[in-house]
Amino acid sequence: MKNARQTSISPLLKLFYESTSLPVTVFENKTICERYALAPQDYNLPLLLYSSLSGDLPDVWYACTPEDVYFAGIHLPGTDTTIILGPTLLTDCTKREALRVVNRIGRKTEDLDTIRQYFDSIRPHSLAGIKASIQILCRLLHLKAPKDIPQPDFQWNLPYKVKTRVIEEEEGYSNPDLEHQILACIQQGDLSAIKKLFREVILPLKIGEPNDLVTVKIYISTANMIASRQSMQSGVDYTRANAAYNRYLKEILSAQSMPELTECFYAMIQEYTKMNAELSEITSGSVLVRRISQYTKSHITEKLSTSNFAEELGMNAAYLSTHFKKETGKTIGEFVQGEKIREAKRLLLESDLSLAEISSFLNFSSESYFCAVFKKNTGMTPQVYRQS
């Protein structure tokens, strides 16, 4: 039975669940008294996970199991009430991932589909996303969350005996040429392939285990350097690739746990892959045209002209203009204008910037000119597009 405090926060928890899709389970001591989740069957995963944490728990925390299952908790001060968020996965649930969970909690192989359905009902959440969700829920509950959310030790501690089974390796999981596959996906800009590779090959391999954090950091730092150089060689703008390299190097060095490194690696290979994918948005296979495309994306807030590109590439402006038109069917000016409108669309939908601010940010000569160009390219005004 829920107490008065739990009853008062129920609408907030329901709203939180509907907004984030993270399952919410409310415990009074270790008794479940409320839950919000789409899938009806979870085999008591929240309780099993919560019971496997050791030591005195802080009021706010997150945890990760050896199977890369994430969950988090908030204890309401002055009560015996704890709110558990999750569990969830970093990526879509594969058959192998579900099998690892089923094996760990002592369920039958026949339960595999149910576990997959459970995780499929929860969209994947990154570690950063989970931490952000904790911060949001704390605000809703008028609680103060620490800037650095702690991670308590986790070790499976089930209330029943489990005879673990050896999970047979499936074809394709053991691959000595993994680095080559990763680089090939990045170079080709194949985002779906890189996600599949991470989900089905990299995560099951548990790269770095049982090595210490320093060893894993060295491995991922090396991968960061190689991916950055590979992207530059493919035509990604040096400034953009180098900025990504420095940003991820900082994240790698500051990581304090294996889950943080796992997520950093996942985000890193996705970003480099996206960079290379953007190069192919122009149908031309010309490296020169791809460099113009990438330079435009990297300097979208600047005033760009053919002379800018000619100076950057060390080429004759007239030749460059003719070559680009022949390769793409567009003038450089038309292409730049199209890219600015593409970015304007994103800003209209994803930000609260005014039309004047967007116009100034993208270096249009005036707000009225921006609106005219936007309507010419899209068939509608920026105001109508934002409301659509």
Side-chain angles (χ1 to χ4, degrees):
M1 181 179 294
K2 294 188 290 185
N3 58 38
R5 175 67 182 270
Q6 292 162 6
T7 302
S8 68
I9 65 173
S10 292
L12 292 177
L13 297 180
K14 184 174 185 294
L15 175 63
F16 173 83
Y17 165 69
E18 292 173 347
S19 302
T20 65
S21 81
L22 266 176
V24 177
T25 308
V26 182
F27 287 87
E28 185 73 15
N29 289 318
K30 290 296 177 69
T31 301
I32 298 176
C33 56
E34 187 176 0
R35 70 172 72 198
Y36 297 97
L38 183 62
Q41 179 59 274
D42 61 13
Y43 298 119
N44 281 325
L45 261 177
L47 176 60
L48 298 177
L49 292 168
Y50 184 27
S51 300
S52 297
L53 294 170
S54 58
D56 294 330
L57 296 177
D59 286 340
V60 181
W61 49 266
Y62 79 93
C64 180
T65 77
E67 295 74 31
D68 298 300
V69 177
Y70 292 88
F71 65 111
I74 298 174
H75 174 253
L76 301 184
T79 73
D80 293 323
T81 303
T82 299
I83 301 167
I84 300 296
L85 311 181
T88 185
L89 301 173
L90 177 63
T91 64
D92 294 328
C93 187
T94 63
K95 179 180 179 181
R96 180 179 174 81
E97 181 68 27
L99 187 58
R100 293 170 70 201
V101 175
V102 165
N103 181 44
R104 175 57 70 179
I105 65 176
R107 303 300 307 185
K108 298 178 180 179
T109 305
E110 290 75 16
D111 296 325
L112 190 67
D113 288 341
T114 305
I115 285 290
R116 290 193 73 179
Q117 289 170 9
Y118 172 71
F119 282 112
D120 285 345
S121 69
I122 311 162
R123 63 177 177 81
H125 287 73
S126 66
L127 184 55
I130 291 173
K131 289 181 177 180
S133 296
I134 296 172
Q135 298 280 357
I136 291 171
L137 185 53
C138 282
R139 288 187 183 183
L140 288 173
L141 298 173
H142 304 292
L143 301 175
K144 185 176 181 180
K147 183 178 180 181
D148 296 319
I149 300 172
Q151 180 186 2
D153 292 333
F154 178 93
Q155 186 173 358
W156 284 104
N157 180 28
L158 304 178
Y160 50 81
K161 290 185 178 181
V162 173
K163 184 178 180 181
T164 57
R165 305 180 299 277
V166 176
I167 299 177
E168 297 293 334
E169 292 293 332
E170 297 181 23
E171 183 180 353
Y173 282 111
S174 179
N175 195 324
D177 201 22
L178 179 58
E179 289 83 359
H180 176 75
Q181 283 195 59
I182 293 173
L183 285 176
C185 289
I186 290 175
Q187 187 176 27
Q188 294 163 13
D190 195 335
L191 194 58
S192 61
I194 202 71
K195 288 182 177 180
K196 187 173 187 292
L197 191 66
F198 187 86
R199 210 168 48 231
E200 300 182 359
V201 181
I202 299 172
L203 270 181
L205 284 177
K206 303 293 288 180
I207 291 177
E209 290 194 352
N211 297 328
D212 59 24
L213 283 176
V214 174
T215 303
V216 181
K217 286 182 178 183
I218 292 172
Y219 179 89
I220 299 179
S221 296
T222 303
N224 181 31
M225 179 181 67
I226 294 173
S228 177
R229 289 181 178 178
Q230 179 72 66
S231 298
M232 292 177 195
Q233 291 174 3
S234 299
V236 172
D237 180 70
Y238 169 84
T239 303
R240 187 181 183 192
N242 192 57
Y245 167 77
N246 288 323
R247 175 160 36 85
Y248 282 113
L249 181 60
K250 183 178 179 180
E251 289 184 21
I252 293 165
L253 295 178
S254 62
Q256 299 296 315
S257 66
M258 205 67 78
E260 288 181 72
L261 285 174
T262 300
E263 180 172 350
C264 179
F265 186 57
Y266 186 45
M268 181 184 80
I269 59 177
Q270 282 194 93
E271 181 164 346
Y272 284 122
T273 303
K274 287 177 182 177
M275 287 183 191
N276 284 269
E278 289 174 0
L279 297 176
S280 61
E281 289 178 1
I282 290 183
T283 56
S284 169
S286 165
V287 173
L288 182 62
V289 173
R290 291 204 304 269
R291 288 183 66 185
I292 291 175
S293 172
Q294 193 58 54
Y295 186 85
T296 301
K297 290 180 174 68
S298 301
H299 298 78
I300 197 70
T301 61
E302 301 174 14
K303 185 176 181 179
L304 298 172
S305 65
T306 303
S307 59
N308 294 135
F309 296 108
E311 183 178 352
E312 172 68 22
L313 301 175
M315 299 183 65
N316 177 272
Y319 169 79
L320 191 62
S321 181
T322 302
H323 181 78
F324 190 91
K325 175 77 171 179
K326 182 179 179 181
E327 288 274 354
T328 67
K330 299 179 180 179
T331 67
I332 290 178
E334 289 170 340
F335 173 73
V336 169
Q337 193 175 88
E339 289 300 301
K340 285 182 178 288
I341 294 303
R342 185 205 298 266
E343 179 64 10
K345 287 180 178 179
R346 187 186 70 79
L347 293 171
L348 285 166
L349 297 179
E350 299 179 11
S351 77
D352 296 324
L353 294 175
S354 68
L355 299 189
E357 288 171 328
I358 292 175
S359 172
S360 176
F361 179 71
L362 295 175
N363 224 303
F364 282 90
S365 58
S366 66
E367 181 183 344
S368 60
Y369 179 62
F370 162 63
C371 292
V373 172
F374 191 94
K375 186 172 183 180
K376 178 183 176 183
N377 278 264
T378 66
M380 63 181 77
T381 65
Q383 296 96 323
V384 172
Y385 182 83
R386 173 169 264 172
Q387 295 166 3
S388 63

